[in-house]
Short mmCIF file of all heavy atoms in Angstrom, two decimals:
data_model
loop_
_atom_site.label_atom_id
_atom_site.label_comp_id
_atom_site.label_asym_id
_atom_site.label_seq_id
_atom_site.Cartn_x
_atom_site.Cartn_y
_atom_site.Cartn_z
N GLY A 24 -16.65 -27.30 -110.33
CA GLY A 24 -17.29 -25.98 -110.11
C GLY A 24 -18.76 -26.06 -110.44
O GLY A 24 -19.15 -26.48 -111.53
N SER A 26 -21.29 -23.52 -110.26
CA SER A 26 -22.15 -22.37 -110.58
C SER A 26 -23.12 -22.84 -111.65
O SER A 26 -23.08 -24.01 -112.08
CB SER A 26 -21.30 -21.23 -111.12
OG SER A 26 -20.76 -21.62 -112.37
N THR A 28 -22.88 -22.21 -114.64
CA THR A 28 -22.01 -22.65 -115.74
C THR A 28 -21.74 -24.16 -115.61
O THR A 28 -21.92 -24.92 -116.57
CB THR A 28 -20.66 -21.90 -115.68
OG1 THR A 28 -20.91 -20.51 -115.52
CG2 THR A 28 -19.83 -22.16 -116.90
N GLU A 47 -18.37 -29.40 -106.31
CA GLU A 47 -18.49 -28.00 -105.89
C GLU A 47 -17.91 -27.83 -104.50
O GLU A 47 -18.26 -28.57 -103.58
CB GLU A 47 -19.96 -27.56 -105.94
CG GLU A 47 -20.29 -26.26 -105.24
CD GLU A 47 -19.47 -25.05 -105.70
OE1 GLU A 47 -19.27 -24.87 -106.91
OE2 GLU A 47 -19.00 -24.29 -104.81
N ARG A 48 -17.08 -26.83 -104.37
CA ARG A 48 -16.38 -26.56 -103.13
C ARG A 48 -17.31 -25.99 -102.04
O ARG A 48 -17.10 -26.18 -100.85
CB ARG A 48 -15.29 -25.55 -103.51
CG ARG A 48 -14.53 -24.86 -102.49
CD ARG A 48 -13.52 -23.96 -103.17
NE ARG A 48 -14.19 -22.75 -103.68
CZ ARG A 48 -13.55 -21.65 -104.01
NH1 ARG A 48 -12.23 -21.63 -103.99
NH2 ARG A 48 -14.19 -20.60 -104.45
N GLY A 54 -22.80 -20.76 -107.60
CA GLY A 54 -21.64 -19.86 -107.67
C GLY A 54 -21.98 -18.44 -107.25
O GLY A 54 -22.69 -18.22 -106.24
N VAL A 55 -21.53 -17.48 -108.01
CA VAL A 55 -21.72 -16.07 -107.66
C VAL A 55 -23.23 -15.73 -107.55
O VAL A 55 -23.64 -14.94 -106.71
CB VAL A 55 -21.02 -15.16 -108.69
CG1 VAL A 55 -21.47 -13.71 -108.54
CG2 VAL A 55 -19.51 -15.24 -108.51
N VAL A 61 -25.38 -12.39 -106.00
CA VAL A 61 -25.56 -11.54 -107.19
C VAL A 61 -26.78 -12.07 -107.95
O VAL A 61 -26.68 -12.99 -108.75
CB VAL A 61 -24.29 -11.52 -108.07
CG1 VAL A 61 -24.53 -10.68 -109.33
CG2 VAL A 61 -23.11 -10.95 -107.29
N VAL A 63 -28.93 -11.12 -110.31
CA VAL A 63 -29.39 -10.42 -111.50
C VAL A 63 -28.86 -11.07 -112.77
O VAL A 63 -27.67 -11.30 -112.90
CB VAL A 63 -28.91 -8.94 -111.40
CG1 VAL A 63 -28.96 -8.27 -112.74
CG2 VAL A 63 -29.76 -8.18 -110.39
N HIS A 65 -29.07 -10.80 -117.16
CA HIS A 65 -29.35 -9.83 -118.22
C HIS A 65 -30.18 -10.44 -119.33
O HIS A 65 -30.52 -11.62 -119.32
CB HIS A 65 -28.03 -9.24 -118.72
CG HIS A 65 -27.30 -8.53 -117.62
ND1 HIS A 65 -27.73 -7.35 -117.11
CD2 HIS A 65 -26.21 -8.90 -116.89
CE1 HIS A 65 -26.93 -7.00 -116.10
NE2 HIS A 65 -26.00 -7.92 -115.96
N PHE A 133 -11.66 -29.49 -105.71
CA PHE A 133 -10.64 -30.05 -106.58
C PHE A 133 -9.29 -29.60 -106.04
O PHE A 133 -9.13 -28.42 -105.70
CB PHE A 133 -10.81 -29.53 -108.01
CG PHE A 133 -9.53 -29.57 -108.79
CD1 PHE A 133 -9.05 -30.76 -109.30
CD2 PHE A 133 -8.78 -28.40 -108.95
CE1 PHE A 133 -7.83 -30.78 -109.97
CE2 PHE A 133 -7.56 -28.42 -109.62
CZ PHE A 133 -7.11 -29.63 -110.14
N ALA A 165 -15.02 -25.53 -114.61
CA ALA A 165 -15.95 -24.40 -114.44
C ALA A 165 -15.73 -23.77 -113.07
O ALA A 165 -16.67 -23.35 -112.40
CB ALA A 165 -17.39 -24.88 -114.60
N SER A 166 -14.46 -23.72 -112.65
CA SER A 166 -14.15 -23.25 -111.29
C SER A 166 -14.02 -21.74 -111.20
O SER A 166 -13.64 -21.22 -110.16
CB SER A 166 -12.85 -23.90 -110.82
OG SER A 166 -11.76 -23.44 -111.59
N ASP A 170 -8.86 -23.40 -111.84
CA ASP A 170 -7.94 -24.19 -111.01
C ASP A 170 -7.44 -25.46 -111.70
O ASP A 170 -6.26 -25.79 -111.64
CB ASP A 170 -8.63 -24.59 -109.69
CG ASP A 170 -8.83 -23.43 -108.74
OD1 ASP A 170 -8.39 -22.31 -109.06
OD2 ASP A 170 -9.46 -23.62 -107.69
N THR A 189 -16.41 -7.75 -105.10
CA THR A 189 -17.44 -7.00 -104.36
C THR A 189 -18.17 -7.93 -103.40
O THR A 189 -18.58 -9.03 -103.77
CB THR A 189 -18.47 -6.41 -105.36
OG1 THR A 189 -17.84 -5.38 -106.12
CG2 THR A 189 -19.67 -5.81 -104.65
N ARG A 287 -19.49 -16.18 -99.86
CA ARG A 287 -18.17 -15.92 -100.46
C ARG A 287 -18.21 -14.58 -101.17
O ARG A 287 -19.22 -14.26 -101.82
CB ARG A 287 -17.87 -17.01 -101.50
CG ARG A 287 -16.52 -16.92 -102.11
CD ARG A 287 -16.22 -18.09 -103.01
NE ARG A 287 -16.53 -19.34 -102.35
CZ ARG A 287 -17.19 -20.34 -102.93
NH1 ARG A 287 -17.63 -20.24 -104.15
NH2 ARG A 287 -17.40 -21.44 -102.26
N GLY A 289 -17.99 -11.84 -103.95
CA GLY A 289 -18.23 -11.99 -105.39
C GLY A 289 -16.98 -11.65 -106.18
O GLY A 289 -16.42 -10.58 -106.01
N LEU A 290 -16.55 -12.58 -107.02
CA LEU A 290 -15.33 -12.39 -107.81
C LEU A 290 -15.71 -12.11 -109.25
O LEU A 290 -16.47 -12.88 -109.85
CB LEU A 290 -14.45 -13.64 -107.74
CG LEU A 290 -14.11 -14.16 -106.34
CD1 LEU A 290 -13.18 -15.37 -106.43
CD2 LEU A 290 -13.46 -13.06 -105.50
N ARG A 291 -15.16 -11.03 -109.78
CA ARG A 291 -15.42 -10.73 -111.21
C ARG A 291 -14.34 -11.32 -112.10
O ARG A 291 -14.58 -11.69 -113.22
CB ARG A 291 -15.47 -9.21 -111.44
CG ARG A 291 -16.71 -8.56 -110.88
CD ARG A 291 -16.85 -7.13 -111.37
NE ARG A 291 -18.06 -6.56 -110.83
CZ ARG A 291 -18.16 -6.04 -109.59
NH1 ARG A 291 -17.11 -6.00 -108.83
NH2 ARG A 291 -19.29 -5.56 -109.15
N GLY A 387 -16.84 -20.54 -118.39
CA GLY A 387 -17.01 -19.53 -117.36
C GLY A 387 -16.02 -18.39 -117.53
O GLY A 387 -15.38 -18.23 -118.58
N ARG A 388 -15.88 -17.63 -116.43
CA ARG A 388 -15.19 -16.34 -116.55
C ARG A 388 -13.69 -16.46 -116.81
O ARG A 388 -13.04 -15.47 -117.12
CB ARG A 388 -15.44 -15.48 -115.31
CG ARG A 388 -14.86 -16.03 -114.03
CD ARG A 388 -15.09 -15.06 -112.88
NE ARG A 388 -14.93 -15.71 -111.59
CZ ARG A 388 -13.76 -15.97 -111.01
NH1 ARG A 388 -12.64 -15.63 -111.60
NH2 ARG A 388 -13.72 -16.56 -109.85
N ARG A 401 -18.49 -11.71 -119.50
CA ARG A 401 -18.43 -12.35 -118.19
C ARG A 401 -19.79 -12.55 -117.53
O ARG A 401 -19.90 -13.29 -116.56
CB ARG A 401 -17.54 -11.51 -117.27
CG ARG A 401 -18.13 -10.15 -116.94
CD ARG A 401 -17.17 -9.24 -116.17
NE ARG A 401 -17.70 -7.90 -116.02
CZ ARG A 401 -18.53 -7.52 -115.05
NH1 ARG A 401 -18.91 -8.39 -114.13
NH2 ARG A 401 -18.98 -6.29 -114.98
N VAL A 402 -20.85 -11.87 -118.01
CA VAL A 402 -22.12 -11.96 -117.27
C VAL A 402 -22.73 -13.36 -117.43
O VAL A 402 -22.46 -14.09 -118.37
CB VAL A 402 -23.13 -10.86 -117.68
CG1 VAL A 402 -22.61 -9.49 -117.27
CG2 VAL A 402 -23.48 -10.93 -119.14
N MET A 403 -23.59 -13.68 -116.47
CA MET A 403 -23.98 -15.08 -116.30
C MET A 403 -24.77 -15.67 -117.46
O MET A 403 -24.59 -16.84 -117.79
CB MET A 403 -24.72 -15.23 -114.97
CG MET A 403 -23.80 -14.98 -113.78
SD MET A 403 -24.60 -15.12 -112.17
CE MET A 403 -24.93 -13.42 -111.79
C1 FAD B 1 -20.51 -8.21 -107.38
C2 FAD B 1 -20.67 -8.80 -108.73
C3 FAD B 1 -21.70 -8.35 -109.51
C4 FAD B 1 -21.95 -8.92 -110.73
N1 FAD B 1 -23.02 -8.52 -111.44
C5 FAD B 1 -23.48 -9.30 -112.41
C6 FAD B 1 -24.78 -9.12 -112.95
O1 FAD B 1 -25.49 -8.21 -112.57
N2 FAD B 1 -25.22 -10.02 -113.87
C7 FAD B 1 -24.42 -11.03 -114.32
O2 FAD B 1 -24.88 -11.83 -115.11
N3 FAD B 1 -23.17 -11.18 -113.88
C8 FAD B 1 -22.70 -10.36 -112.93
N4 FAD B 1 -21.44 -10.55 -112.42
C9 FAD B 1 -20.50 -11.46 -113.10
C10 FAD B 1 -20.81 -12.90 -112.88
O3 FAD B 1 -21.40 -13.11 -111.63
C11 FAD B 1 -19.57 -13.77 -113.03
O4 FAD B 1 -18.80 -13.37 -114.13
C12 FAD B 1 -20.03 -15.21 -113.24
O5 FAD B 1 -20.73 -15.63 -112.10
C13 FAD B 1 -18.87 -16.11 -113.50
O6 FAD B 1 -19.39 -17.42 -113.52
P1 FAD B 1 -18.45 -18.67 -113.35
O7 FAD B 1 -19.34 -19.86 -113.46
O8 FAD B 1 -17.29 -18.58 -114.25
O9 FAD B 1 -17.85 -18.52 -111.88
P2 FAD B 1 -18.48 -18.57 -110.43
O10 FAD B 1 -19.87 -18.09 -110.41
O11 FAD B 1 -17.47 -17.87 -109.60
O12 FAD B 1 -18.50 -20.10 -110.08
C14 FAD B 1 -17.35 -20.88 -109.86
C15 FAD B 1 -17.75 -22.05 -109.00
O13 FAD B 1 -16.66 -22.95 -108.89
C16 FAD B 1 -16.48 -23.33 -107.54
N5 FAD B 1 -15.07 -23.65 -107.35
C17 FAD B 1 -14.03 -22.80 -107.47
N6 FAD B 1 -12.88 -23.45 -107.25
C18 FAD B 1 -13.21 -24.73 -106.99
C19 FAD B 1 -12.42 -25.88 -106.67
N7 FAD B 1 -11.09 -25.83 -106.61
N8 FAD B 1 -13.08 -27.05 -106.45
C20 FAD B 1 -14.44 -27.11 -106.53
N9 FAD B 1 -15.22 -26.03 -106.81
C21 FAD B 1 -14.59 -24.87 -107.05
C22 FAD B 1 -16.93 -22.12 -106.75
O14 FAD B 1 -17.29 -22.46 -105.44
C23 FAD B 1 -18.11 -21.62 -107.60
O15 FAD B 1 -19.32 -22.22 -107.22
C24 FAD B 1 -21.12 -9.96 -111.20
C25 FAD B 1 -20.06 -10.41 -110.44
C26 FAD B 1 -19.84 -9.83 -109.21
C27 FAD B 1 -18.73 -10.35 -108.37
#
Side-chain angles (χ1 to χ4, degrees):
S26 66
T28 312
E47 167 55 44
R48 169 180 77 163
V55 167
V61 177
V63 162
H65 299 289
F133 155 77
S166 67
D170 288 356
T189 291
R287 184 174 312 135
L290 307 182
R291 289 191 179 82
R388 67 176 162 80
R401 66 187 173 85
V402 294
M403 293 179 262

